[in-house]
Amino acid sequence: MTGGDKDGDGDVTAAPAGPPSPLEWKFSQVFGERTAGEEVQEVDIISAIEFDKSGDHLATGDRGGRVVLFERTDTKEHGGSRKDLEKTDYPSNRHPEFRYKTEFQSHEPEFDYLKSLEIEEKINKIKWCQTANGALFLLSTNDKTIKFWKVQEKKAKKIADMNMNPLKAVGNGSIASSSVSSINKSSHTANGEKTDKSCTSLNKDFYSSGAIQSLRLPVVVTCNETSLAARCRRVYAHAHDYHINSISNNSDGETFISADDLRVNLWNLEISNQSFNIVDVKPANMEDLTEVITSAEFHPTHCNTLAYSSSKGSIRLIDLRQSALCDRHSKLFEEHESPGSRSFFTEIIASISDIKFGRDGRYLLSRDYMTLKLWDINMDSGPVSTFQVHEHLRPKLCDLYENDSIFDKFECCLSGNGQRVATGSYSNLFRVFGSVPTSTEATTLEASKNPMRRQVQTPSRPSRSLSSSITRVVRRGGESTGNDTNGNSFDFSTKLLHLAWHPTENSIACAAANSLYMYYA
C-alpha cells in the first residue's frame, strides 16, 4: 500500500489522514479509596470536579461543602514547567501525578427563614479563575450562594526571643534585669543576673539609669516555613430564587455567569452586591412554564457569546451585544424526534444535563440521559455526531422512572485536542468516544484500579451520513441489554456523574462516590 497517488505532473498527493487509534487507558492514582465493606458518608461524596487551564491543579467539591485542591507533582520534580521539559533532551514518559494540596470549608448549611427552606452545603460547581501573584483563585457555589476564594502560600510568623538569659529568668513574667552597675560598666553583659534590691529600689534604679534601653521587646518575625491559607474574597448571594445549576467564567477575566432554572445572571468578580439579569425564561403565569434552564457556559474565547441548554433538549446561543436582556437567541440547536417515536419518557430523557464548549469554541458537547451529542456552532440543522450511551437502558425506562434514576444528571467533557469526548454511566462506568468523523473508538472503562476490566469489545459503527463535507453519524458504542459484559446487572445506585478531562493531555479524573480516580493514556 502506497502513501499517496501520483497526479498528472508526477507529484505525490498525501493520503487523507485516518482517525487516531483508540487509546489504551491505564490507572494512575486514587484518592479516598474505600476498603471493602466501608460505608460511604453522605458528606464525603464528590459533587464537582474541575481542572484549571494549565492542568497543574485540580479541585473537587463534596456534599459536605468542602473544596479539596490537588497539585501536579511530576513536572515539578524535574524543576520546571512542562514547556521547559519539552525543550530538554530526555523524553517525559511519566504520567500525570497529583498530590493533595489543601482543603477548606467553602459552604455551611443554612436556613432561609422567609421561605422556610433548608439550603444544603453541597458544592454544585467549581470554576477556576485567572491566577495572580502566585495565588490561586476559584469560584464555588451551592444552591444559592457563590463564593470567590483566594488560596495562597503564606510565610509563617513567629515571636522573636527576648535578649534575656532564660536560665537566669526570674519568676513567671517578672523582669529579670541586670544590676544597674553592671549595665553601666560593661554595656552588654548577660541581662539576667539576680539582684537583692527591693522592688522599690529596683524600679528607681531601672528607670533612672536608662536600663530600659537595653531590654529588647519581643517582635513578630517572618520565617521560611510556609502554610496554605484560603480566604473568601467575595460572596455573591441573594440573586437566585431557584437552585443554581451552573457558573461559568468569561474569557475577559472580569465577569462570570450563574444560572438557575429560570434565569441567567451576569456578575463582575469585583462587585458582589449586584448582578445583571441577561436571560429570563419565567412566564407571567407559572402554569405556562414548559421548560427550564439546565446548564449554561461562556464561549472559551468570545466574551460576548454564551450558550445555555434546556429541559426540552435544545441549546440556545446568545450574543450579549444584541440586547441587554437576551430573550432572543442568535442560534438554536435542537434535534426533533420523529412523531411516531414519542412516549411518556421522551421529554424526560431529552433534557440536557450538561454542555461543554471545545477548547477552540467551534464545537459544543451536550449530554442528555441517553446520548452525547456534538454540535458545530456554525451548523444549527442538527448534531454533527451522536454517541449512544444508555440505549441499552431503553427497555428499563419505567424502572428508572420509579427509582428516580431517570433524573440523574451526568456530566460530559472533551479532550484538549477535541478528538475525543467522555461521559459517565452506572456501575461506576464511563465511556470514551472518538469524535473525529471516521473514528470508531468507543471505550467502556470502570472507575477502579483495573479500568479495562469491563471493556466492551464491540466496536462502534457509523450508521448514517448526511453529506461528504459534514458527516452526521450515530455511533453505537457496545450496546447491550441491562447487563454488563460480565453478565452482571447494572447497579443504578453507583453512578459516575462527575468527570473532567485534562486540558492538554489524555488524562481523566472522575468521581466514584467519595473516591477520586485518575487515568492516563
Side-chain angles (χ1 to χ4, degrees):
M1 180 180 292
T2 59
D5 299 324
K6 290 187 178 181
D7 57 21
D9 298 328
D11 296 329
V12 177
T13 58
S21 57
L23 297 176
E24 182 179 349
W25 291 92
K26 299 174 183 177
F27 170 78
S28 174
Q29 289 173 282
V30 59
F31 296 94
E33 184 182 19
R34 300 191 307 277
T35 58
E38 181 184 353
E39 187 175 347
V40 179
Q41 300 296 319
E42 180 80 10
V43 294
D44 294 332
I45 295 178
I46 297 173
S47 56
I49 301 178
E50 188 80 9
F51 281 105
D52 70 349
K53 283 188 176 180
S54 68
D56 291 337
H57 293 92
L58 175 69
T60 65
D62 62 27
R63 294 188 182 180
R66 296 181 298 261
V67 172
V68 183
L69 304 185
F70 302 88
E71 68 176 349
R72 188 166 180 175
T73 59
D74 59 302
T75 55
K76 290 186 177 182
E77 289 177 3
H78 293 297
S81 65
R82 184 159 191 83
K83 290 182 179 178
D84 295 331
L85 287 175
E86 291 171 350
K87 296 176 183 178
T88 57
D89 294 333
Y90 55 86
S92 177
N93 294 324
R94 297 177 62 95
H95 60 80
E97 289 183 0
F98 285 79
R99 72 176 178 189
Y100 169 86
K101 185 178 180 74
T102 188
E103 68 179 82
F104 56 90
Q105 188 70 33
S106 174
H107 288 73
E108 301 280 358
E110 301 174 54
F111 190 80
D112 187 336
Y113 292 97
L114 293 177
K115 298 182 179 179
S116 296
L117 183 69
E118 289 185 5
I119 303 172
E120 61 180 353
E121 64 271 32
K122 186 190 86 165
I123 305 297
N124 290 344
K125 294 289 180 182
I126 296 174
K127 292 293 180 181
W128 290 91
C129 303
Q130 292 180 356
T131 59
N133 300 325
L136 303 174
F137 296 89
L138 50 88
L139 290 166
S140 62
T141 185
N142 65 352
D143 286 338
K144 295 290 184 180
T145 306
I146 307 163
K147 294 186 179 182
F148 182 46
W149 291 91
K150 177 182 181 181
V151 182
Q152 189 175 30
E153 284 190 352
K154 288 192 173 181
K155 290 190 175 182
K157 294 182 178 180
K158 290 185 177 180
I159 305 298
D161 295 331
M162 290 190 294
N163 64 338
M164 65 182 185
N165 189 342
L167 298 177
K168 297 182 179 182
V170 178
N172 184 14
S174 59
I175 301 176
S177 65
S178 63
S179 62
V180 176
S181 59
S182 64
I183 293 175
N184 292 336
K185 292 178 182 179
S186 55
S187 58
H188 296 294
T189 57
N191 191 16
E193 296 176 2
K194 292 184 180 179
T195 177
D196 294 327
K197 291 183 179 180
S198 65
C199 183
T200 305
S201 62
L202 174 63
N203 288 340
K204 181 180 178 182
D205 294 337
F206 188 79
Y207 288 104
S208 63
S209 64
I212 194 170
Q213 296 176 359
S214 66
L215 178 64
R216 187 169 66 221
L217 295 176
V219 294
V220 178
V221 297
T222 304
C223 59
N224 292 327
E225 297 178 9
T226 60
S227 61
L228 279 167
R231 187 163 66 94
C232 184
R233 295 284 305 274
R234 306 259 190 300
V235 177
Y236 313 91
H238 312 302
H240 288 278
D241 292 329
Y242 303 92
H243 290 177
I244 298 172
N245 54 49
S246 303
I247 53 176
S248 179
N249 295 324
N250 198 346
S251 59
D252 63 9
E254 298 179 357
T255 57
F256 70 94
I257 55 169
S258 58
D260 63 20
D261 290 345
L262 298 180
R263 292 187 175 94
V264 178
N265 292 333
L266 179 67
W267 300 83
N268 188 298
L269 282 168
E270 300 297 323
I271 304 171
S272 60
N273 59 357
Q274 65 178 357
S275 62
F276 193 74
N277 179 228
I278 54 176
V279 176
D280 189 349
V281 299
K282 184 178 180 180
N285 184 357
M286 285 296 284
E287 292 182 358
D288 298 330
L289 182 67
T290 58
E291 62 180 333
V292 296
I293 298 169
T294 57
S295 183
E297 180 160 295
F298 260 119
H299 190 281
T301 56
H302 298 164
C303 62
N304 58 284
T305 304
L306 63 93
Y308 69 91
S309 60
S310 82
S311 57
K312 277 193 168 182
S314 61
I315 303 172
R316 290 172 173 84
L317 203 67
I318 61 175
D319 190 337
L320 298 178
R321 299 171 299 184
Q322 289 183 346
S323 63
L325 181 63
C326 301
D327 50 356
R328 295 184 179 181
H329 53 266
S330 57
K331 285 189 179 179
L332 175 66
F333 304 95
E334 60 183 349
E335 187 175 35
H336 296 284
E337 288 274 341
S338 56
S341 62
R342 289 189 63 83
S343 69
F344 172 78
F345 304 109
T346 299
E347 284 198 11
I348 300 176
I349 62 177
S351 177
I352 294 175
S353 56
D354 190 26
I355 58 172
K356 291 280 181 11
F357 273 103
R359 199 173 186 185
D360 60 358
R362 169 74 183 272
Y363 294 98
L364 186 63
L365 183 68
S366 67
R367 172 71 153 99
D368 57 46
Y369 189 74
M370 304 297 285
T371 66
L372 269 176
K373 292 188 174 100
L374 188 67
W375 307 81
D376 186 336
I377 65 170
N378 297 327
M379 186 185 81
D380 54 7
S381 59
V384 175
S385 300
T386 300
F387 310 95
Q388 299 292 349
V389 181
H390 282 163
E391 187 62 31
H392 55 273
L393 297 180
R394 194 173 290 275
K396 295 180 173 291
L397 291 180
C398 285
D399 297 334
L400 295 164
Y401 180 77
E402 289 295 327
N403 62 22
D404 286 341
S405 293
I406 200 170
F407 301 106
D408 288 335
K409 300 184 185 305
F410 293 92
E411 293 180 0
C412 58
C413 58
L414 299 93
S415 62
N417 58 14
Q419 293 184 350
R420 293 174 180 86
V421 296
T423 191
S425 182
Y426 294 105
S427 299
N428 284 341
L429 300 178
F430 63 100
R431 312 291 306 278
V432 178
F433 299 95
S435 57
V436 177
T438 55
S439 174
T440 60
E441 181 176 358
T443 308
T444 301
L445 302 158
E446 181 184 42
S448 69
K449 288 187 175 181
N450 183 10
M452 306 293 282
R453 185 166 69 92
R454 299 197 188 188
Q455 174 60 35
V456 177
Q457 299 299 328
T458 307
S460 60
R461 53 187 184 277
S463 66
R464 61 187 174 94
S465 62
L466 260 187
S467 64
S468 58
S469 59
I470 301 177
T471 306
R472 184 189 297 179
V473 298
V474 177
R475 298 192 182 90
R476 309 190 177 276
E479 293 176 13
S480 65
T481 60
N483 297 333
D484 61 21
T485 52
N486 294 332
N488 302 316
S489 298
F490 280 103
D491 183 1
F492 297 117
S493 64
T494 57
K495 43 203 169 195
L496 199 150
L497 301 176
H498 312 286
L499 76 171
W501 202 301
H502 192 282
T504 59
E505 300 180 12
N506 287 321
S507 176
I508 291 178
C510 56
N514 67 324
S515 301
L516 175 67
Y517 285 91
M518 306 193 72
Y519 303 95
Y520 71 99

